[in-house]
Amino acid sequence: MSAAGHTLSLEEQIDQWRSYLRRRQTIHSVDVAELEDHLREQITALVEAGLAAEEAFLVAVKRLGNLDALSREFAREHSERLWKQLVVVSADSGELARVRTDAIVAFCLAVAAAAAFKLPALFGLELDRNIEFLEQGAGVYARNLSLFVLPLLTGYFVWKRRLDARTFRWLIAAFVAAVVFANVYPFAAGSDTEALAALHLPIALWFIVGIAYAGGRWGEIAGRMDFIRFSGELFIYYVLIALGGGVLTGFMALLFKAIGIDAEPFFTFWLLPCGAVGAVLVGSWLVEAKQSVIENMAPVLTRLFTPLFAAVLVAFLGALVWTGHGVDIERNVLIAFDLLLAVVLGLLLYCISARDAESPPGVFDVVQVVLVVSALIADVVALWAIAARITEFGFTPNRVAALGENVILLANLVWSAVLYIRFLRGRGAFTSLEWWQTAYLPVYALWAALVVAIFPPMFGYS
């Protein structure tokens, strides 16, 4: 019993779950002992990742429900009671102290990220003096934007997961290398290589964040899948925080304007940029704090937008065939095209991470295959246009970067389509698709790192 005297201990919760399964054995044939072994393994892994035992039980029961129908029924029938129990458990003095400590650390790191963002001002590089460069995707702030926040986020997970010294040293070495490559090259102002470095450095460093987040489980599919889920949840929280911050800023501007004070410079050069970097830490803490919630927003949104994006891609390909027009592969169009493919890949990754691997193929899986195949064809069209552009006008940093990224996407999408179609036809397991997607993540990080480290000298920093 907890100190509050109202919550069940971990063993009592497991006993309750075991009793439920045994009572229902007349309806379903289940091996309770084997399932209990799986449940305890999940709880142990989650506790080692930083969750309290009671939280780990709630999450483990939900995950086990992906393998066993009775556990799924237990989670559904007891969801409201389990959630209330979590609230009580969180009120326990020890648990409350842990939650409070996590919150304090996260908010302190958010303040540190905001302070780091203003650090270049000490060297005379004020944000307002570099607005023109920022609009071109270049400048000191653009190149170092991810370095203002991601090292602190990684440090938060190092502290949470209690990573060993060897892993910690490798993480530090990665960020030191990132600082060097982002700042030692003599970039021409507004150059393409500088813009590419600013865009690709966060991608490479997000992989480093993932290693820290996994807490020693990066080599496991489950560890990488957890990071994918975290990334999706963080994106949702960040957007919500940004929307709330925008509303707050609007009201503040109106209030101060009513008394004759122009607060726009403060909003533009202090509140908005500092809040943007700090929100990454706050959003990450929120995702960690709600790990035990049984349902969340991201899977719902992916199920909503996956059919919509599939429809857009099918319509685009249909219009392409109908009109016979080629793809305009100018810089802005190319960026938008690659962003679309990146969003499609993100939807695919998160849908895979949220899906029950043991469930049979369904209608939504067919929609997923349509999305993947449509994105694959669109990627081939983009590659064709890029190759034609290179043949006609020669190599540039942007074209080579786009060529490499689309080739990497093509390889991922081709094999994803093969594995998914095999699954639909009953000739392959869904876990093969999970393994492929999570094992492919380092490829994106490696290419991004090469763009940051190799492209500037290769193309003369232009």
Side-chain angles (χ1 to χ4, degrees), residues 286-361:
L286 287 172
V287 174
E288 284 285 281
K290 62 157 285 299
Q291 283 183 7
S292 54
V293 172
I294 295 200
E295 298 292 341
N296 50 59
M297 295 175 290
V300 176
L301 292 176
T302 53
R303 282 189 170 267
L304 172 65
F305 283 102
T306 293
L308 296 177
F309 273 91
V312 168
L313 283 174
V314 169
F316 164 74
L317 294 173
L320 192 69
V321 173
W322 180 265
T323 61
H325 292 165
V327 176
D328 180 7
I329 209 68
E330 294 297 330
R331 177 177 174 179
N332 291 337
V333 175
L334 182 61
I335 292 173
F337 209 86
D338 284 344
L339 282 175
L340 172 62
L341 292 175
V343 170
V344 169
L345 178 65
L347 285 172
L348 174 64
L349 279 170
Y350 204 87
C351 285
I352 290 174
S353 73
R355 190 190 186 281
D356 179 356
E358 299 299 320
S359 295

Side-chain angles (χ1 to χ4, degrees), residues 37 55 58 62 81 121 156 173 225 243 256 289 301 312 379 427:
D37 287 341
E55 291 177 304
L58 303 183
K62 173 61 178 174
R81 182 189 58 76
Y156 176 69
M225 276 296 178
L243 291 174
F256 281 99
L301 292 176
V312 168
D379 195 20
R427 297 184 178 181

Side-chain angles (χ1 to χ4, degrees), residues 125 130 132-145 181-202 331 397-398 448 451-457 459-462:
L125 296 171
N130 289 272
E132 182 179 352
F133 290 166
L134 283 170
E135 290 175 349
Q136 299 172 15
V140 173
Y141 278 94
R143 293 200 312 269
N144 289 277
L145 184 60
F181 284 116
N183 293 284
V184 299
Y185 287 144
F187 292 105
S191 65
D192 289 339
T193 54
E194 188 174 29
L196 288 170
L199 289 171
H200 287 78
L201 188 59
R331 177 177 174 179
N398 287 327
V451 171
V452 173
I454 305 299
F455 273 42
F459 291 97
Y461 311 104
S462 60

Side-chain angles (χ1 to χ4, degrees), residues 8 27 32 36 49 64 68 103 105 120 194 246 289-290 319 327 336 450 456:
L8 298 175
I27 302 175
V32 178
E36 184 176 342
L64 198 61
D68 174 70
V105 171
E194 188 174 29
K290 62 157 285 299
V327 176
L450 289 175

Side-chain angles (χ1 to χ4, degrees), residues 27-84:
I27 302 175
H28 299 267
S29 177
V30 294
D31 187 339
V32 178
E34 182 180 352
L35 288 175
E36 184 176 342
D37 287 341
H38 287 305
L39 180 68
R40 290 184 181 276
E41 288 173 4
Q42 286 279 353
I43 292 172
T44 300
L46 290 166
V47 169
E48 290 177 354
L51 270 68
E54 293 83 359
E55 291 177 304
F57 171 77
L58 303 183
V59 179
V61 167
K62 173 61 178 174
R63 290 184 178 177
L64 198 61
N66 294 334
L67 301 175
D68 174 70
L70 280 180
S71 291
R72 184 159 55 248
E73 290 178 16
F74 178 86
R76 183 173 61 251
E77 293 180 15
H78 293 70
S79 59
E80 184 177 355
R81 182 189 58 76
L82 291 173
W83 171 248
K84 291 178 179 178

Side-chain angles (χ1 to χ4, degrees), residues 63-236:
R63 290 184 178 177
L64 198 61
N66 294 334
L67 301 175
D68 174 70
L70 280 180
S71 291
R72 184 159 55 248
E73 290 178 16
F74 178 86
R76 183 173 61 251
E77 293 180 15
H78 293 70
S79 59
E80 184 177 355
R81 182 189 58 76
L82 291 173
W83 171 248
K84 291 178 179 178
Q85 175 182 313
L86 174 62
V87 173
V88 176
V89 168
S90 297
D92 182 84
S93 57
E95 182 67 16
L96 186 60
R98 186 185 69 81
V99 172
R100 185 185 297 115
T101 301
D102 288 354
I104 291 172
V105 171
F107 278 89
C108 287
L109 289 174
V111 172
F117 184 83
K118 301 301 294 184
L119 188 62
L122 298 177
F123 302 93
L125 296 171
E126 293 287 352
L127 181 62
D128 55 346
R129 297 178 187 174
N130 289 272
I131 283 294
E132 182 179 352
F133 290 166
L134 283 170
E135 290 175 349
Q136 299 172 15
V140 173
Y141 278 94
R143 293 200 312 269
N144 289 277
L145 184 60
S146 57
L147 292 169
F148 296 139
V149 60
L150 295 188
L152 296 170
L153 180 58
T154 302
Y156 176 69
F157 290 128
V158 168
W159 171 74
K160 283 274 293 180
R161 307 294 189 254
R162 298 177 175 86
L163 296 184
D164 58 84
R166 182 172 177 272
T167 304
F168 183 54
R169 286 195 294 268
W170 277 110
L171 295 175
I172 290 177
F175 280 109
V176 169
V179 171
V180 171
F181 284 116
N183 293 284
V184 299
Y185 287 144
F187 292 105
S191 65
D192 289 339
T193 54
E194 188 174 29
L196 288 170
L199 289 171
H200 287 78
L201 188 59
I203 299 173
L205 293 182
W206 195 244
F207 177 77
I208 305 302
V209 174
I211 294 175
Y213 178 85
R217 299 170 58 238
W218 184 258
E220 306 171 14
I221 294 178
R224 298 192 296 270
M225 276 296 178
D226 285 345
F227 179 61
I228 291 172
R229 294 185 190 99
F230 164 79
S231 300
E233 289 290 315
L234 175 58
F235 175 77
I236 299 297

Side-chain angles (χ1 to χ4, degrees), residues 242-282:
L243 291 174
V247 173
L248 175 64
T249 301
F251 277 117
M252 290 176 65
L254 289 174
L255 290 173
F256 281 99
K257 185 177 181 180
I259 57 175
I261 297 178
D262 181 14
E264 183 178 352
F266 171 73
F267 294 147
T268 304
F269 304 122
W270 285 90
L271 182 62
L272 294 180
C274 292
V277 295
V280 177
L281 276 303
V282 175

